[in-house]
């Protein structure tokens, strides 16, 4: 700690920070542009100037940039000194010389850091009367709009894109007043994290193109705290709605998870919520004939059809814990399935079991950045857990920080640390089935078959304790020994693995390495937003469920055709007299239903999900669809299911609000008892007020339903949470972290407003970050010893399929999102050069792969290397097949 003196007042601060960060953490405003908590200090904008004095007697002082000055003990500064204020005002005026001053037509208006800072410095007169510098804008793809004339040359964008996110197709060009930030030529930004430019940029240079199509100001959207549904990372988001449409997704700060950044899948992949073809009312279906019916008619029909019948309940890892539990209550535990295939469920349950093992520590995403040696087994993280990949990229920089510390250089001094480190990186080793997007920061990367990856992993585990694994060649043994030596020498080694290659031995190898090291962190990724939650809840696999006799099937938010081969699903559905499906999207399973109940998406309902970290978090309803269209009947799945249960069992409704469901879960599933602590209940108030979903300046309230009636009704009442569908509620930084819907504070309209909600800038949210880590509260299981698998022999007459994931192409709903269309690759089989020569095929030629009863015809993409005897199978872009058995390959259709 250190004591600093600001304008005559003394404060205790963290002495390792710079003065700007320290003052902002105290709630003292200093304007700035180039500095960002995650990017460090470069002192390029000169906007954060303060006067520093040598001692209390010094009256003259000198101007210093607070972002470049340590908050050392007995530092005396003045923010209100006239010279400092005049200097800051002149800097803003200078930066605005070539700015078009086009706030009324700029999409960043009301969300703009530049506006906040000009107001803070009291700059309100434009004296420059000459010709302004102008630039041509670039086409940057379907996600980002570009308006270079608004640039103030703060360099944040290029520092984020190149230095933080590792992008290579974006830079800064020219010099002086002609400086230009963009690509060498127009073209789609290649980074999977490009969308963060919209929040990193303090002006309107980079804006959200997906929002432009149906644009409105930030203050005219209704928000709710939510959790990204795109993968299992559990990133926090703030979805914004207007007129019953999801308009924009912004990053919601969580100091232990995503911090300030999202991947593009999470930011831009939610457009499916607005699709016109999704079920918004209950439906009766007979083949292609669809009839819309009332809620009562639908419920009465379903109750009549399943009364006294054997009903199979199929849950889903993309549905909330509440909805899955409600289904289990309806059909009975023995008739409930998690909705995962046997293979997927066994993998996820293994991951959950390992995470509960004695001595295994599972770090959060923020902690991953602090590890000084990383081994990744079998995961292309950028495709399967992209935000984690961004954290690993930061871990690679710890070597440079260590070298800087030896030279007594603070790690927040971005450019000196970079110069000291040069090309030195913390060791990162990657064993994967194809080259990954983290190859540029990897010390070593090996492309191998899933079986060989597992065996290499066990070889590393053996080498850690001075043993060996038989059956490996000398090169593999030497490489395993190198990795083992590196991990043992590290202060904080980290092992990352997961389920994406569908091989349990890979995760077992990762666990064995972590256990043998003793001081290592272990992170295991799983496929979907609530996969880990269902592993804890428990239930039958799909194969186990379909092996039973049953009269009817109820499927909740699950497309079974993405889980099992089509013939297997067809046979299972054909056994049932009635197929009832609850979903919020038009899927292949919905098309097979006799009755469809219109379920709420994450934007229209509340629920709890558990991330791969074991962090239980709650997402909240952003808007009530029926407010804008009273004919709509969209309800959370748990509400539909509870209504069915009360009708079938002839009992009174006992779940009227979300808290009722959560209370029942905690009483009946001890492993999930902690979910009641995830967020305050519906009765929570701040100064007697609910938390407002709408900003104070929300406008148009008397015209929201003007097409229906000029008599504006009362806003919907939210009985499920402590949030209100209105601006008439509490807006401020005393809101508990799980309930913060958007970033706004007096004088801070931009995303930098998160500073006001943090215990210290860039740290954690006040009162602790959102979520409860379940594995920390569950009883530990005994340590197990895993055994290396036997080698898999490659048959020259057959091939095996290896899963290949794509961040935009493999997700169930990204393919249903219009903005994603141009980013989704064509479905192809990937073939290594050696196998391409063996099959005598070239790029673009088609091959037929037969797996069991399924034949798939796709073009070939020849890549430099893929393990011999393996063909890359595009997960999510091709029909579902079993990857466990060898397949036959024929050239041509």
């Amino acid at each position: 700690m250190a004591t600093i003196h600001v304008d005559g007042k003394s404060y205790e601060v963290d002495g390792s920070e710079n003065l700007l960060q320290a003052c902002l953490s105290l709630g003292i405003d200093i304007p700035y542009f180039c500095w960002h908590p995650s990017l460090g200090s470069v002192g390029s904008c000169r906007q954060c100037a303060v006067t520093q004095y040598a001692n209390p007697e010094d009256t003259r002082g000198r101007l210093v940039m607070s972002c470049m000055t340590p908050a050392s003990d007995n530092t005396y500064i003045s923010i209100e000194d006239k010279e400092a204020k005049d200097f800051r005002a002149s800097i803003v005026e200078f930066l605005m010389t070539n700015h078009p001053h086009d706030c009324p037509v700029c999409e960043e208006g009301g969300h703009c850091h530049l506006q906040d800072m000009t107001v803070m410095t009291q700059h309100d007169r434009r004296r420059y009367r000459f010709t302004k510098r102008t630039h041509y804008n670039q086409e940057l793809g379907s996600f980002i709009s570009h308006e270079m004339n608004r640039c103030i040359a703060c360099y944040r964008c290029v520092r984020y894109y190149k230095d933080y996110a590792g992008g290579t197709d974006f830079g800064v060009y020219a010099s002086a007043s002609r400086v230009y930030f963009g690509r060498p030529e127009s073209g789609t930004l290649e980074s999977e994290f490009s969308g963060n430019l919209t929040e990193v940029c303090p002006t309107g240079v980079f804006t959200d193109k997906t929002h432009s199509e149906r644009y409105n100001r930030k203050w005219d959207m209704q928000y709710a705290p939510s959790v990204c549904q795109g993968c299992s990372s559990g990133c926090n988001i703030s979805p914004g709605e207007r007129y019953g449409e999801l308009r924009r997704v912004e990053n919601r700060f969580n100091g232990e998870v995503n911090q300030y950044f999202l991947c593009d899948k999470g930011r831009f992949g939610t457009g499916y919520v607005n699709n016109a073809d999704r079920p918004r009312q209950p439906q009766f279906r007979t083949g292609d004939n669809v009839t819309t019916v009332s809620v009562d008619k639908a419920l009465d029909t379903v109750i009549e059809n399943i009364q006294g019948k054997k009903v199979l309940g199929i849950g889903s890892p993309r549905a909330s814990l509440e909805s899955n539990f409600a289904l289990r209550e309806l059909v009975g535990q023995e008739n409930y399935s998690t909705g995962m295939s046997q293979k997927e469920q066994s993998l996820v349950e293994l991951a959950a079991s390992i995470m509960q093992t004695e001595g295994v520590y599972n770090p959060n995403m923020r902690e991953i950045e602090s590890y000084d040696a990383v081994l990744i087994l079998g995961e292309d993280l950028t495709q399967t857990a992209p935000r984690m990949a961004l954290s690993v990229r930061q871990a690679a920089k710890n070597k440079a920080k260590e070298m800087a510390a030896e030279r007594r250089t603070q790690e927040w001094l971005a450019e000196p640390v970079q110069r000291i480190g040069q090309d030195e990186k913390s060791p990162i080793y990657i064993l994967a089935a194809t080259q990954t997007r983290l190859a540029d920061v990897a010390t070593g990367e090996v492309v191998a078959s899933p079986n060989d990856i597992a065996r290499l992993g066990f070889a590393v585990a053996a080498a850690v304790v001075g043993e060996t694994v038989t059956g490996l060649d000398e090169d593999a043994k030497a490489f395993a020994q190198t990795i083992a030596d590196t991990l043992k020498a590290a202060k904080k080694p980290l092992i990352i693995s997961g389920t994406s290659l569908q091989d349990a031995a890979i995760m077992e190898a990762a666990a064995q390495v972590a256990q043998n090291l003793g001081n290592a962190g272990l992170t295991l990724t799983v496929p979907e937003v609530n996969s880990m939650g269902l592993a804890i809840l428990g239930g039958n696999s799909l194969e186990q469920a379909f092996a039973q006799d049953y009269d009817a099937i109820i499927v909740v938010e699950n497309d079974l055709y993405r889980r099992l081969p089509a013939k297997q699903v067809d046979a299972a559905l054909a056994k049932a007299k009635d197929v009832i499906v609850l979903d919020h999207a038009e899927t292949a399973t919905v098309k097979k239903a006799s009755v469809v109940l219109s379920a709420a998406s994450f934007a229209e309902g509340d629920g709890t999900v558990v991330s791969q970290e074991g962090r239980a978090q709650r997402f909240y309803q952003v808007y009530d669809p029926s407010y804008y269209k009273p004919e709509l009947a969209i309800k959370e799945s748990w509400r539909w299911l509870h209504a069915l249960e009360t009708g079938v069992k002839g009992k009174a409704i006992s779940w009227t609000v979300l808290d009722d469901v959560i209370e029942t879960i905690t009483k009946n599933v001890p492993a999930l008892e902690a979910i009641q602590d995830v967020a305050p209940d519906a009765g929570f108030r701040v100064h007697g007020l609910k938390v407002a979903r709408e900003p104070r300046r929300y406008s148009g309230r008397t015209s929201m339903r003007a097409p229906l009636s000029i008599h504006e009704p009362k806003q919907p009442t939210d009985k499920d949470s402590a949030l209100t569908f209105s601006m008439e509620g509490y807006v401020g930084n005393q809101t508990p972290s799980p309930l913060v819907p958007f970033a706004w504070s007096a004088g801070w309209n931009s995303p930098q407003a998160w500073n006001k909600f943090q215990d210290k800038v860039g740290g954690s949210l006040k009162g602790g970050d959102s979520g409860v880590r379940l594995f920390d509260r569950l009883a530990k299981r005994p340590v197990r010893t895993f055994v290396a698998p036997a080698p898999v022999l490659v048959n020259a007459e057959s091939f095996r399929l290896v899963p290949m994931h794509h961040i935009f192409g493999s997700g169930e709903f990204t393919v249903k999102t219009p903005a994603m269309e141009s980013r989704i690759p064509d479905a192809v089989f990937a073939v290594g050069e050696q196998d391409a020569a063996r099959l005598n095929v070239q790029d673009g030629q088609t091959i037929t792969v037969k797996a069991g009863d399924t034949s798939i015809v796709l073009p070939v993409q020849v890549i430099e290397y893929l393990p011999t005897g393996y063909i890359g199978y595009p997960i999510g872009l091709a029909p579902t097949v079993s990857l466990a058995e060898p397949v036959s390959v024929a050239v041509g259709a």
Side-chain angles (χ1 to χ4, degrees):
M1 298 297 289
T3 300
I4 64 171
H5 309 272
V6 183
D7 288 314
K9 295 183 179 179
S10 299
Y11 301 93
E12 289 288 325
V13 300
D14 185 344
S16 65
E17 298 174 347
N18 58 59
L19 281 173
L20 174 60
Q21 186 171 6
C23 288
L24 291 173
S25 297
L26 292 169
I28 302 171
D29 291 343
I30 300 177
Y32 63 92
F33 287 117
C34 66
W35 182 79
H36 186 282
S38 293
L39 305 180
S41 304
V42 291
S44 66
C45 73
R46 324 304 289 170
Q47 184 60 67
C48 64
V50 297
T51 301
Q52 182 177 12
Y53 302 97
N55 51 54
E57 289 74 37
D58 183 4
T59 57
R60 184 174 180 180
R62 63 190 180 99
L63 285 178
V64 298
M65 302 307 119
S66 58
C67 76
M68 300 294 288
T69 307
S72 51
D73 198 29
N74 284 324
T75 297
Y76 293 83
I77 63 169
S78 173
I79 300 169
E80 299 301 322
D81 178 64
K82 184 178 187 305
E83 184 181 12
K85 292 176 69 173
D86 290 346
F87 182 83
R88 294 196 297 266
S90 68
I91 290 295
V92 166
E93 186 175 24
F94 175 73
L95 292 175
M96 296 288 285
T97 299
N98 286 300
H99 192 280
H101 292 79
D102 60 342
C103 299
V105 297
C106 176
E107 293 188 9
E108 197 75 1
H111 189 224
C112 178
H113 187 63
L114 177 60
Q115 286 180 331
D116 291 346
M117 296 302 99
T118 51
V119 171
M120 192 177 293
T121 52
Q122 301 177 1
H123 170 67
D124 59 2
R125 293 292 183 274
R126 178 173 41 169
R127 295 187 292 173
Y128 184 75
R129 292 292 181 266
F130 305 98
T131 302
K132 288 178 179 284
R133 168 217 65 204
T134 57
H135 291 292
Y136 288 107
N137 300 319
Q138 292 184 322
E139 171 58 44
L140 299 178
S142 60
F143 296 158
I144 305 290
S145 294
H146 190 224
E147 178 48 79
M148 254 308 293
N149 293 318
R150 298 174 183 145
C151 182
I152 59 170
C154 72
Y155 285 81
R156 262 201 202 176
C157 60
V158 70
R159 291 175 56 221
Y160 161 74
Y161 196 93
K162 292 181 68 176
D163 299 342
Y164 193 92
T168 58
D169 61 320
F170 181 96
V172 54
Y173 307 97
S175 61
S177 64
R178 303 295 303 176
V179 69
Y180 191 94
F181 297 88
R183 287 172 51 87
E185 57 185 6
S186 289
T188 299
L189 288 168
E190 296 171 3
S191 172
E192 295 83 359
F193 308 95
S194 63
N196 293 307
L197 289 172
T198 64
E199 294 186 20
V200 167
C201 176
T203 73
V205 177
F206 302 100
T207 53
D208 185 339
K209 186 179 286 188
T210 66
H211 185 204
S212 301
E213 297 168 6
R214 298 281 287 163
Y215 180 75
N216 53 269
R217 295 297 182 192
K218 174 182 179 175
W219 62 73
D220 276 339
M221 282 189 285
Q222 181 167 243
Y223 300 87
S226 193
V227 179
C228 177
Q229 308 288 299
C231 73
S232 64
S233 296
C235 296
N236 288 198
I237 57 174
S238 289
E241 167 270 344
R242 180 77 167 176
Y243 290 116
E245 293 179 335
L246 205 56
R247 296 284 179 90
R248 178 174 179 166
V249 169
E250 298 173 44
N251 182 74
R252 189 165 72 95
F253 185 88
N254 186 315
E256 294 185 353
V257 188
N258 48 294
Q259 301 171 71
Y260 291 96
F261 305 122
L262 297 172
C263 74
D264 288 353
K265 181 180 182 179
R267 187 180 293 276
F268 302 115
T270 59
Y272 65 88
V273 172
N274 300 329
N275 286 351
D277 66 348
R278 53 171 291 202
R280 286 186 164 88
Q281 294 167 277
Q283 300 170 346
F284 289 167
R285 293 193 174 215
T286 306
D288 293 332
N289 296 322
V290 180
T291 305
T292 299
V293 297
S294 68
V295 170
D296 289 341
K297 176 68 173 175
L299 288 173
D300 290 344
T301 301
V302 173
I303 290 169
E304 180 182 349
N305 290 349
I306 67 174
Q307 189 94 44
K309 304 288 180 63
K310 174 71 178 292
V311 182
L312 191 64
I314 308 296
S316 172
R318 65 169 164 91
S320 68
L321 285 174
E322 290 81 358
S323 293
N324 278 283
F325 180 78
L327 177 63
R328 197 178 86 171
E329 289 290 280
L330 170 62
V331 302
Q333 189 164 352
E334 67 281 0
N335 299 321
Y336 166 75
S337 167
T338 62
M340 294 185 276
S341 68
Q342 181 67 56
K343 184 70 172 178
E344 181 182 349
Q345 182 163 328
S346 64
L347 290 167
V348 175
E349 287 176 344
L350 174 63
S353 174
I354 289 172
M355 286 298 104
Q356 295 173 64
T357 301
E358 187 71 40
V360 168
Y361 178 69
N362 181 22
N364 61 47
M365 209 113 66
R366 178 70 167 268
E367 287 178 287
I368 287 174
E369 299 181 2
S370 67
Y371 284 83
D372 59 351
V374 181
L375 171 62
I376 302 174
L377 287 174
E379 290 294 311
D380 184 355
L381 287 178
T382 309
Q383 316 304 332
T384 60
R387 185 58 187 80
M388 189 183 297
L390 198 58
S391 292
V392 170
R393 193 171 285 279
Q394 309 322 307
K397 301 171 185 174
N398 287 327
K399 179 64 175 177
K401 293 177 182 178
E402 182 183 335
M403 294 169 65
E406 292 172 356
R407 292 160 178 78
R408 301 192 179 189
T409 300
Q410 295 91 339
E411 67 176 60
W412 45 262
L413 287 167
E415 289 198 25
V417 171
Q418 203 171 40
R419 286 198 302 270
I420 291 169
Q422 294 294 312
D423 295 327
E424 293 291 328
K425 295 181 176 65
S426 295
I428 295 175
Y429 289 95
I430 304 173
L431 311 182
T434 186
Q435 190 175 39
T436 73
R437 295 279 280 170
L438 288 173
D440 60 310
V441 295
T443 306
E445 183 177 55
V446 169
V447 176
S449 69
N451 178 255
D452 287 340
I453 291 170
R455 288 176 56 76
L456 264 172
F458 275 105
V460 173
V464 166
V465 292
E467 300 174 356
T468 59
V469 170
T470 59
L472 290 180
D473 60 36
E474 292 304 314
D475 287 345
K477 287 181 181 178
F479 186 59
Q481 187 64 56
T482 299
I483 297 174
D485 291 342
T486 302
L487 295 174
K488 286 197 294 182
K491 296 176 183 176
K492 288 185 68 177
L494 173 67
I495 317 301
I496 299 175
S497 188
T499 65
S500 69
L501 291 184
Q502 301 185 22
D503 192 324
I506 295 176
M507 288 196 292
E508 291 173 349
Q512 196 65 60
V513 174
Q515 288 177 178
N516 288 1
L517 284 167
N519 65 333
L522 176 64
T523 292
L524 301 175
T525 68
V526 293
E528 297 183 63
V529 63
N530 202 23
S531 293
M532 199 63 87
L534 262 63
I536 297 172
L537 178 65
N540 297 322
S541 68
L542 284 174
E543 289 91 335
Q544 290 171 325
F546 290 153
Q548 303 177 35
D549 293 324
Y550 47 87
D551 302 307
I553 292 181
I554 298 178
V555 183
V556 175
E557 300 179 43
N558 199 338
D559 186 2
L560 303 181
Y561 289 91
R562 291 180 60 89
R563 309 284 176 184
L564 295 174
K567 288 188 177 181
Q568 197 171 344
V569 177
D570 286 341
L573 297 180
K575 286 173 59 179
K577 294 178 182 178
D578 293 286
V579 177
I580 300 101
V581 178
L582 292 76
D583 215 330
H584 52 72
E586 184 77 2
T587 68
T589 304
V590 165
K591 292 176 181 177
K592 293 284 187 177
S594 54
V595 180
V596 177
L597 301 180
S598 42
S601 70
F602 77 95
E604 299 146 338
D606 311 292
T608 308
V609 291
V610 182
S611 71
Q612 55 81 25
E613 178 196 340
R615 181 181 294 268
Q617 300 183 101
R618 196 150 297 140
F619 60 88
Y620 289 98
Q621 184 178 9
V622 184
Y623 63 100
D624 181 354
S626 63
Y627 179 72
Y628 304 97
K629 295 182 179 180
E631 70 274 14
L632 300 187
I634 296 174
K635 304 178 185 299
E636 293 102 327
S637 292
W638 65 262
R639 289 191 192 278
W640 285 114
L641 294 165
H642 186 61
L644 292 176
E645 184 193 359
T646 57
V648 169
K649 299 179 180 179
K651 65 178 189 179
I653 291 176
S654 57
W655 294 349
T656 57
V657 295
L658 183 70
D659 290 335
D660 295 335
V661 195
I662 294 171
E663 182 181 2
T664 309
I665 293 175
T666 58
K667 288 179 179 178
N668 289 275
V669 187
L672 294 173
E673 184 180 359
I675 69 169
Q676 63 187 334
D677 300 329
V678 166
D681 62 23
F684 178 82
R685 299 291 184 271
V686 181
H687 302 309
L689 298 173
K690 279 193 160 194
V691 177
R693 283 178 169 90
E694 300 169 359
R696 283 280 185 258
R697 291 180 291 165
Y698 192 91
S699 62
R701 277 284 297 279
T702 57
S703 63
M704 296 302 290
R705 282 168 45 106
L708 302 178
S709 171
I710 61 171
H711 304 289
E712 192 76 6
K714 180 185 176 183
Q715 286 281 314
T717 300
D718 185 0
K719 297 180 180 179
D720 289 313
S721 75
L723 298 159
T724 176
F725 294 108
S726 173
M727 71 173 84
E728 285 85 30
Y730 178 77
V731 176
N733 55 20
Q734 293 182 37
T735 307
S737 61
L739 296 178
V740 180
F742 53 85
W744 180 89
S745 187
W748 296 80
N749 299 283
S750 77
Q752 298 301 301
W754 284 115
N755 295 348
K756 297 297 184 180
F757 292 83
Q758 297 164 345
D759 53 10
K760 72 172 187 176
V761 174
S764 293
L765 294 176
K766 293 176 180 177
D769 291 305
S770 178
V772 173
R773 284 169 53 97
L774 299 183
F775 294 138
D776 291 349
R777 301 196 182 190
L778 296 177
K780 294 299 182 181
R781 301 180 180 181
V783 175
R784 292 171 290 171
T785 300
F786 299 103
V787 180
V792 171
L793 301 177
V794 177
N795 186 338
E797 301 302 319
S798 65
F799 288 81
R800 288 180 177 271
L801 297 180
V802 61
M804 299 193 77
H805 298 260
H806 189 277
I807 180 175
F808 304 128
S810 297
E812 181 174 358
F813 293 113
T814 50
V815 297
K816 298 178 184 292
T817 296
M820 289 285 176
E821 290 177 359
S822 63
R823 301 300 300 273
I824 298 173
D826 295 330
V828 295
F829 284 125
V831 178
E833 290 179 349
Q834 289 182 325
D835 283 328
R838 177 155 69 107
L839 292 168
N840 194 25
V841 294
Q842 297 178 344
D843 268 332
Q845 283 186 263
T846 60
I847 62 173
T848 300
V849 170
K850 186 173 183 182
D853 295 329
T854 306
S855 293
I856 307 171
V857 180
L858 289 176
V860 162
Q861 180 184 21
V862 179
I863 62 178
E864 183 178 358
Y865 183 73
L866 201 66
T868 304
Y870 284 82
I871 292 177
Y873 169 78
I875 294 290
L877 296 175
T880 303
V881 296
S882 171
L883 304 181
E885 301 300 326
V887 298
S888 61
V889 178
V891 178

